[in-house]
Amino acid sequence: MIRKAQPPDLFALQTLFAQYRMFYNKKSAPKEEKLFLKERLENMDSEIFVHEDSTAKLTGFVQLYPLFSSSRMKRYWLLNDLFVAKDSRGKGISVILIDRAKQLVKDTNACGMYLETEKSNLIGNQLYPKTGFKALDKVNFYEWENDALKNNAKTKIFR
């Protein structure tokens, strides 16, 4: 079953979120992860949907952030996080989570959603085209990082 994440899901969601971050070679930081997710839920500045199996165990999640497209003058969603626990993979849960994200796009009258993934994410790079995403060869993505955050680990990163 897919449903919107709720505050009581925080512990189970943080466990999945830690696994997701480790997939991308980040160190687990339980307190910071919990705070980050708690703030997303409380501030309602992202949409998080979770997959719950028949035993009520959370097995996956998708998190989207709202953006706006000035050229289209419409809301646009960033599918930022998609993760399914290792022992629940191969059951179509990722597709179900993506379908729920598509429904959010439709429900909010948004013009679409986009995502990025590392070229080394072989599973994701096979999954996304199968679910209707198109690779955008005509654009370049650039990133600028705030080095002050890297150099000062004590800097508060959340508001």
Side-chain angles (χ1 to χ4, degrees):
M1 172 176 80
I2 302 291
R3 62 176 176 76
K4 196 167 182 171
Q6 301 296 321
D9 297 321
L10 193 55
F11 179 76
L13 184 57
Q14 183 271 320
T15 301
L16 289 171
F17 190 66
Q19 293 171 32
Y20 165 78
R21 292 184 69 247
M22 287 186 276
F23 177 83
Y24 283 104
N25 301 309
K26 305 295 182 197
K27 291 182 182 176
S28 180
K31 288 181 185 177
E32 292 85 356
E33 292 161 352
K34 185 176 179 183
L35 176 62
F36 180 81
L37 292 168
K38 182 176 183 271
E39 288 182 349
R40 301 297 66 77
L41 292 170
E42 287 177 355
N43 297 338
M44 297 183 293
D45 51 12
S46 74
E47 294 285 342
I48 305 173
F49 299 102
V50 293
H51 179 269
E52 188 177 74
D53 70 11
S54 60
T55 67
K57 176 184 173 188
L58 296 190
T59 60
F61 75 97
V62 62
Q63 180 168 214
L64 299 102
Y65 293 98
L67 301 171
F68 292 91
S69 171
S70 296
S71 61
R72 297 173 182 149
M73 296 186 297
K74 288 276 194 182
R75 180 182 298 271
Y76 202 68
W77 288 94
L78 167 63
L79 192 162
N80 202 72
D81 311 313
L82 174 66
F83 183 77
V84 174
K86 199 171 195 173
D87 60 350
S88 296
R89 294 182 187 156
K91 300 176 182 177
I93 296 169
S94 295
V95 173
I96 296 167
L97 287 164
I98 288 171
D99 285 345
R100 182 59 186 94
K102 289 177 183 177
Q103 189 60 50
L104 173 69
V105 171
K106 293 173 185 175
D107 291 347
T108 58
N109 197 30
C111 60
M113 70 176 146
Y114 84 99
L115 62 85
E116 69 175 274
T117 193
E118 293 182 356
K119 293 187 184 285
S120 63
N121 182 354
L122 300 177
I123 293 171
N125 285 307
Q126 292 176 359
L127 170 68
Y128 300 128
K130 288 179 184 176
T131 59
F133 284 88
K134 296 175 190 155
L136 299 176
D137 295 333
K138 61 184 177 182
V139 298
N140 293 321
F141 285 95
Y142 296 92
E143 179 180 61
W144 179 86
E145 292 189 27
N146 183 353
D147 290 334
L149 287 179
K150 289 181 186 177
N151 299 330
N152 184 0
K154 293 183 180 181
T155 302
K156 186 175 181 192
I157 58 173
F158 312 118
R159 293 184 201 199

